[in-house]
Amino acid sequence: MQRRLLLILAAACALSGNAYAQQIIRLSTTTSTENSGLLAHLLPAFEAGTNSKVHVISVGTGKALELSKNGDVDVTLVHARSAEDKFVADGWGIDRRDVMYNDFIVVGPPGDPSGIKGGRDVLAAFRKLAGGPAKFISRGDNSGTDIMEKAYWKQAGAQPAGAQYVSAGLGMGEVLNMAAEMGGYTLTDRATYGVYQAKTGLALMVEGDQRMFNPYGIIATNPARHPGVNYKGARQLIDWITSPEGQAKIAQFRPGGQQLFFPSAKPD
């Protein structure tokens, strides 16, 4: 009986020791990587190989970078290159690496009341949307998608007025649901649309414009600004997701048989 008790205690101590040794890595990232299911596909392999647990905070790119700037996360995975470059130049992040890319698309009601379906010029489509009868649903959350949308309106020289323009302040999945409910159009990343297409019934309207290219980068929070961050863990995640193994896992993510993200990491 005593021997059995000692064995149980030893096993409990071993389990406790393993749990204690497991490192926590805090990751802020965009809603597209979470909503699409990509992180659920990627992270278990990384966690198992590094005895880590990645705590994911899924928000828009602007908020994801802000969390890193404040030292609230160890690493951030986002998609707004100009904002990323400024973030690094200002000294808040280090070790930025290309990870993957997909593209933006415009989606809307199957009846296409604004007449943009089949177009490959995003600015021409936005001009039609600005004067069209249907609503446009904007993320309105300073996400990478929101930043790109605002740039398109500026370049197009027009924007829907009044109630025709709905600034939701929500994530991509919620905005797609809103667009479906309101019979409106929206700009979305292709990955999130792929997951929500069946449930929303929204149709693909515009794709293929090179201005709709959507690259993703990963950046470590600068430990010189925030000594308490887990820089070692951040570098482990950066190195893994840009490694041949991590890049292959990205390419293998094909919900419904469709590849939603394309690896783009460059060798060191």
Side-chain angles (χ1 to χ4, degrees):
M1 185 68 180
Q2 186 176 9
R3 175 180 170 79
R4 184 178 178 185
L5 181 60
L6 288 172
L7 287 172
I8 292 172
L9 288 172
C13 286
L15 289 171
S16 176
N18 287 337
Y20 183 79
Q22 186 182 60
Q23 71 167 329
I24 301 299
I25 301 171
R26 300 166 300 166
L27 168 69
S28 63
T29 188
T30 69
T31 58
S32 59
T33 59
E34 178 79 354
N35 291 165
S36 65
L38 176 68
L39 293 181
H41 169 78
L42 290 179
L43 293 180
F46 168 75
E47 292 172 334
T50 57
N51 193 28
S52 303
K53 180 62 181 176
V54 180
H55 288 179
V56 176
I57 303 173
S58 174
V59 288
T61 285
K63 180 62 175 176
L65 289 172
E66 190 70 19
L67 288 167
S68 180
K69 180 179 178 179
N70 294 338
D72 295 326
V73 296
D74 308 304
V75 60
T76 187
L77 174 62
V78 291
H79 64 126
R81 187 57 193 264
S82 60
E84 295 168 46
D85 289 344
K86 184 178 189 305
F87 184 75
V88 173
D90 290 345
W92 299 111
I94 59 174
D95 303 334
R96 187 202 172 278
R97 298 284 304 279
D98 291 330
V99 175
M100 59 193 180
Y101 68 90
N102 60 11
D103 62 342
F104 291 112
I105 54 177
V106 179
V107 300
D112 188 25
S114 294
I116 64 168
K117 188 172 184 178
R120 299 179 68 85
D121 183 331
V122 66
L123 300 186
F126 267 48
R127 291 186 191 104
K128 284 188 176 182
L129 291 172
K135 295 181 185 298
F136 186 93
I137 317 303
S138 171
R139 287 277 297 268
D141 63 349
N142 198 33
S143 62
T145 307
D146 186 53
I147 291 169
M148 189 61 74
E149 178 221 313
K150 299 298 192 294
Y152 292 152
W153 292 125
K154 185 175 181 179
Q155 293 172 61
Q159 185 172 325
Q164 294 301 102
Y165 187 81
V166 180
S167 183
L170 297 170
M172 195 71 255
E174 295 164 301
V175 166
L176 287 167
N177 286 332
M178 282 184 66
E181 292 167 4
M182 301 175 76
Y185 295 84
T186 193
L187 180 74
T188 177
D189 65 282
R190 189 182 295 270
T192 309
Y193 172 68
V195 174
Y196 280 78
Q197 180 179 5
K199 70 173 74 172
T200 63
L202 292 170
L204 175 58
M205 296 290 161
V206 180
E207 64 178 332
D209 190 324
Q210 65 181 4
R211 288 169 292 205
M212 300 172 87
F213 177 67
N214 183 30
Y216 288 73
I218 191 166
I219 311 169
T221 300
N222 190 349
R225 294 289 185 95
H226 298 287
V229 299
N230 182 5
Y231 175 65
K232 176 184 175 183
R235 274 310 306 257
Q236 283 181 308
L237 181 56
I238 291 171
D239 290 344
W240 181 84
I241 205 169
T242 58
S243 72
E245 179 187 359
Q247 294 284 282
K249 290 286 286 183
I250 291 170
Q252 291 161 9
F253 179 62
R254 295 171 177 262
Q258 180 183 6
Q259 186 169 351
L260 300 181
F261 296 93
F262 297 83
S264 65
K266 301 175 181 66
D268 287 331

